[in-house]
């Protein structure tokens, strides 16, 4: 991993030198565009509509049009902005963790301590952990001033870029203020369904099924060529299951079916686990007897 930014976290007179790294990566299958008639690669060229010449990226500037006038803003103009050279993550406030609305979160970054001694980094990390708080910060990255949340993740501090308040839309959906009455029985059944699905969150247990199926499709097409058939590769959808996904008018009936289905699935999992455990026990017992003999 290469750092994308080097600077320091500052709060009061405390200075914590750090390097910034992207904390996430895209696992989606990458494609390029082709002509459907012959498979030829589609290429895009940047051409000037005034002179018609092809323009290299280094000769492209940005322009702003207010409807009547256009002004060109060059790279030198951007660099002249005071915030563009700012290499500090300024702590402006410490707040309880639950006060930061997740809808404001954007891309996360890992922070690595820099220098001979990481003491100031470790001190800030432990302080945040024990206080159960998040540091709200301001920083500049890629010619933008950003709001961020500084928090801990295990032994590492994470800087989570955030949206500004005016970037989160206000909505007023009429349906959410409906006077439709929820009966005590419906609420009880809904709570029971939630209980059926409750458990600890382990993100490694979840897989991006679409990307896995897409990769499988690509592998099969590479292997089979023109003989490739999607129905042979993936089979056909179960008609009974597709019918079950239709509109359900009776909410109580839907809740009951959901609970029964979850209970059935849970019983099947327990039975499979018990069977597996019994086989393992039997195998161990047989092995023990052979060893004794």
């Amino acid at each position: 991993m290469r750092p994308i930014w080097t600077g320091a976290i500052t709060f009061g007179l405390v200075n914590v030198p750090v390097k910034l790294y992207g904390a996430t990566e895209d696992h989606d299958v990458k494609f390029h565009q082709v002509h459907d008639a012959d498979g030829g690669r589609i290429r895009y060229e940047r051409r000037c509509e005034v002179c018609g010449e092809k323009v290299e990226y280094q000769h492209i500037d940005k322009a702003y049009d207010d409807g009547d006038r256009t002004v060109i803003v060059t790279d030198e103009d951007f660099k002249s902005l005071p915030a563009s050279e700012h290499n500090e993550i300024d702590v402006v406030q410490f707040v309880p963790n639950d006060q930061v609305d997740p809808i404001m979160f954007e891309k996360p970054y890992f922070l690595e301590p820099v220098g001979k001694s990481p003491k100031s980094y470790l001190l800030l990390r432990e302080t945040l952990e024990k206080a159960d708080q998040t540091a709200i910060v301001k920083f500049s990255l890629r010619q933008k001033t950003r709001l961020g949340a500084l928090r801990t993740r295990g032994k590492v501090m994470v800087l989570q870029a955030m949206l500004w308040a005016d970037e989160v839309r206000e909505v007023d959906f009429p349906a959410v203020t409906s006077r439709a009455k929820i009966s005590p029985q419906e609420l009880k059944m809904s709570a029971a369904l939630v209980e059926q699905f409750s458990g600890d969150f382990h993100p490694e247990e979840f897989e991006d099924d679409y990307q896995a199926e897409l990769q499988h499709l690509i592998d099969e097409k590479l292997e089979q060529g023109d003989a490739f058939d999607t129905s042979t590769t993936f089979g056909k959808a179960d008609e009974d299951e597709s019918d079950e996904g239709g509109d359900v008018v009776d909410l109580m009936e839907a809740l009951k079916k959901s609970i029964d289905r979850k209970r059935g699935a849970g019983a099947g999992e327990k039975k499979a686990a018990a069977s597996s455990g019994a086989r393992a026990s039997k195998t161990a017992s047989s092995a023990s007897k052979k060893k004794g003999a």
Side-chain angles (χ1 to χ4, degrees):
M1 272 196 311
R2 291 185 178 181
I4 59 176
W5 182 94
T6 300
I9 304 168
T10 62
F11 64 107
L13 298 177
V14 179
N15 185 283
V16 185
V18 292
K19 288 182 180 179
L20 195 72
Y21 298 83
T24 59
E25 58 186 3
D26 184 4
H27 68 195
D28 289 357
V29 176
K30 303 296 186 293
F31 293 98
H32 59 254
Q33 295 180 321
V34 296
H35 186 191
D36 62 355
D38 54 23
R41 183 79 176 262
I42 300 298
R43 302 286 183 181
Y44 290 91
E45 294 182 345
R46 303 179 182 89
R47 288 194 177 275
C48 174
E49 65 178 21
V50 174
C51 65
E53 291 185 3
K54 183 179 177 181
V55 182
E56 297 299 327
Y57 187 78
Q58 62 266 29
H59 297 300
I60 296 178
D61 286 330
K62 294 182 174 65
Y64 177 80
D65 188 343
D66 67 358
D68 298 319
R69 298 165 299 173
T70 299
V71 60
I72 295 176
V73 184
T74 66
D75 288 341
E76 288 69 27
D77 292 329
F78 282 114
K79 291 177 182 178
S80 70
L81 297 174
S84 67
E85 297 299 323
H86 193 60
N87 65 340
E88 292 182 343
I89 301 172
D90 295 323
V91 176
V92 295
Q93 191 178 20
F94 290 96
V95 301
N97 291 336
D98 58 6
Q99 283 191 4
V100 184
D101 188 343
I103 198 174
M104 299 185 72
F105 286 152
E106 287 194 298
K107 188 174 176 62
Y109 301 92
F110 288 135
L111 292 174
E112 178 190 24
V114 176
K116 294 181 179 179
S117 173
K119 187 172 183 179
S120 58
Y121 181 99
L122 302 179
L123 175 62
L124 179 55
R125 187 195 70 193
E126 284 196 33
T127 301
L128 289 173
E129 282 182 351
K130 291 187 177 181
D132 198 25
Q133 290 195 324
T134 295
I136 302 301
V137 303
K138 290 181 71 176
F139 66 106
S140 296
L141 183 65
R142 298 189 178 117
Q143 297 180 334
K144 284 183 66 177
T145 302
R146 302 167 187 262
L147 189 67
L150 188 63
R151 55 190 180 84
T152 62
R153 185 178 188 269
K155 296 183 178 181
V156 178
M157 282 199 292
V158 175
L159 174 61
Q160 189 101 35
M162 297 172 64
L163 297 169
W164 297 98
D166 61 0
E167 292 180 308
V168 180
R169 291 174 173 171
E170 293 292 336
V171 295
D172 183 18
F173 299 129
V176 300
T177 57
S178 168
R179 294 187 178 182
K181 292 186 178 180
I182 306 298
S183 71
Q185 184 62 18
E186 288 172 333
L187 194 58
K188 183 178 178 181
M189 293 289 288
S190 181
L193 182 59
V194 170
E195 180 62 29
Q196 291 280 347
F197 281 87
S198 295
D200 294 326
F201 178 54
H202 301 288
E204 64 277 2
E205 295 177 357
F206 298 89
E207 181 182 354
D208 188 340
D209 296 332
Y210 178 81
Q211 291 299 320
E213 291 171 357
L214 179 58
Q215 187 62 59
H216 178 52
L217 180 146
I218 291 171
D219 292 340
E220 289 298 317
K221 292 199 76 167
L222 289 171
E223 181 70 24
Q224 300 180 33
D226 294 337
F228 174 77
D229 181 10
T230 54
S231 62
T232 302
T233 303
F234 295 108
K236 294 183 179 179
D238 191 329
E239 293 181 4
D240 293 336
E241 285 189 10
S242 61
D243 290 343
E244 226 172 290
D247 292 337
V248 180
V249 177
D250 190 334
L251 181 57
M252 282 296 294
E253 186 63 26
L255 287 169
K256 287 178 182 177
K257 284 184 177 181
S258 298
I259 292 173
D260 290 342
R261 177 185 292 181
K262 185 62 178 175
R263 283 175 178 166
E269 290 173 1
K270 288 182 180 178
K271 186 176 180 181
S275 176
S276 176
R279 286 197 300 270
S281 177
K282 187 176 180 180
T283 302
S285 177
S286 298
S288 178
K289 288 179 180 179
K290 288 180 180 179
K291 187 175 180 180

